[in-house]
Amino acid sequence: MPIAPNPRAFEALRAAIEKIEAGGRAPKGFLPFGLDLLDQHLPNGGLALGALHEVAGGGNGAIDGTASALFAAGIAARTRGQVLWCVSRKDLFAPALAQAGLDADRVIYVEAHDEKTVLACFEEGLRHGGLGAVVGEVARLSMTSSRRLQLAAESTGTMGIAVRRWRRQAEAADFGQPTAATTRWRVTALPSSPLPAAGVGRPRWFVELIRCKAGECADFELEACDEAGRLALPADLADRSPATQPWQRRAAG
């Protein structure tokens, strides 16, 4: 007869693993999404501060790339302090970030000539210690570079968000390579929420948590960030029973 798993033993093992990974460093805190179905899949109920997180679009098009940037903007908007955003392409649209909760007066922009410089500015921003979050847009992110960013984030408690953008299919394949990021997300644009009258409803995203240290993978259909950087569960999905929710099906499978 199989022995039922002991939840307390599992939690104790998770805590021990987190302590080993932290290398004796004190935790810097966590940033919850404020959405239970999302936070329950993250250790300690939120994104780790003082850590590196990765976000990419679900496809190679500009629409999914925009969705991933707005997802990152919503996270950064809910931190405290100024946000450093490092880019090598001059196509960041400040009003769109503001619609995701990240006001223009909170953002410091760095326009670099190449991704090597973006990574250097990214790391320097994390080591500064006086910022709420640092965002860097890069196509490639090696284990060595991501480890440097992770250590820099741990040293100050600043959250780092790597937004993966690429021009070529070969660069997109790099997203599957291992990195030191604490979580890895993929965001795909979906048709907007229906309205009772003619018009465009709130955008929807298919959000995939494809890697999470000490956690499980999951996916969610959500409404995009509002003016406070908050995600929401679409009303037509909120009324479903738990057994039919898409994220429950994946977890069970």
Side-chain angles (χ1 to χ4, degrees):
M1 182 177 179
I3 301 175
N6 186 338
R8 291 185 179 179
F10 179 77
E11 292 300 326
L13 179 60
R14 171 179 286 179
I17 293 173
E18 290 178 354
K19 185 176 180 180
I20 293 171
E21 290 182 337
R25 293 177 293 271
K28 305 298 182 180
F30 301 88
L31 180 70
F33 282 95
L35 199 58
D36 288 344
L37 73 93
L38 207 58
D39 291 333
Q40 69 185 2
H41 286 88
L42 298 169
N44 300 289
L47 290 174
L49 301 173
L52 176 67
H53 304 275
E54 275 186 270
V55 183
N60 298 328
I63 294 177
D64 289 342
T66 299
S68 67
L70 294 178
F71 179 79
I75 295 171
R78 292 182 291 104
T79 64
R80 296 182 179 180
Q82 299 293 107
V83 174
L84 183 68
W85 200 298
C86 310
V87 299
S88 59
R89 286 187 271 180
K90 301 179 181 180
D91 59 356
L92 194 62
F93 191 51
L97 300 186
Q99 289 183 350
L102 188 56
D103 295 331
D105 59 358
R106 288 190 58 199
V107 186
I108 302 170
Y109 301 99
V110 173
E111 295 181 354
H113 295 295
D114 52 43
E115 291 198 355
K116 182 178 180 180
T117 308
V118 168
L119 288 170
C121 295
F122 196 170
E123 182 179 346
E124 189 65 25
L126 290 171
R127 292 193 184 281
H128 180 271
L131 299 167
V134 181
V135 182
E137 297 186 6
V138 292
R140 298 184 182 276
L141 186 64
S142 67
M143 175 60 80
T144 300
S145 296
S146 66
R147 185 59 180 161
R148 289 180 64 93
L149 295 172
Q150 174 67 22
L151 291 173
E154 290 176 357
S155 68
T156 60
T158 302
M159 177 183 287
I161 307 173
V163 177
R164 306 294 299 276
R165 298 184 61 189
W166 37 77
R167 296 182 176 91
R168 305 173 185 84
Q169 184 63 35
E171 293 176 337
D174 184 74
F175 184 62
Q177 299 301 313
T179 68
T182 301
T183 64
R184 177 179 282 179
W185 303 82
R186 189 162 53 198
V187 185
T188 306
L190 296 175
S192 62
S193 298
L195 294 176
V200 179
R202 184 171 174 178
R204 286 192 187 191
W205 295 334
F206 182 63
V207 177
E208 300 171 85
L209 176 58
I210 57 179
R211 182 177 185 274
C212 179
K213 286 185 179 179
E216 298 180 354
C217 299
D219 52 55
F220 319 88
E221 187 173 329
L222 304 171
E223 289 187 339
C225 297
D226 62 12
E227 65 280 359
R230 296 170 300 192
L231 298 164
L233 181 64
D236 55 333
L237 296 182
D239 293 335
R240 295 184 187 178
S241 66
T244 62
Q245 297 289 8
W247 57 87
Q248 294 287 351
R249 290 200 301 271
R250 177 167 178 176

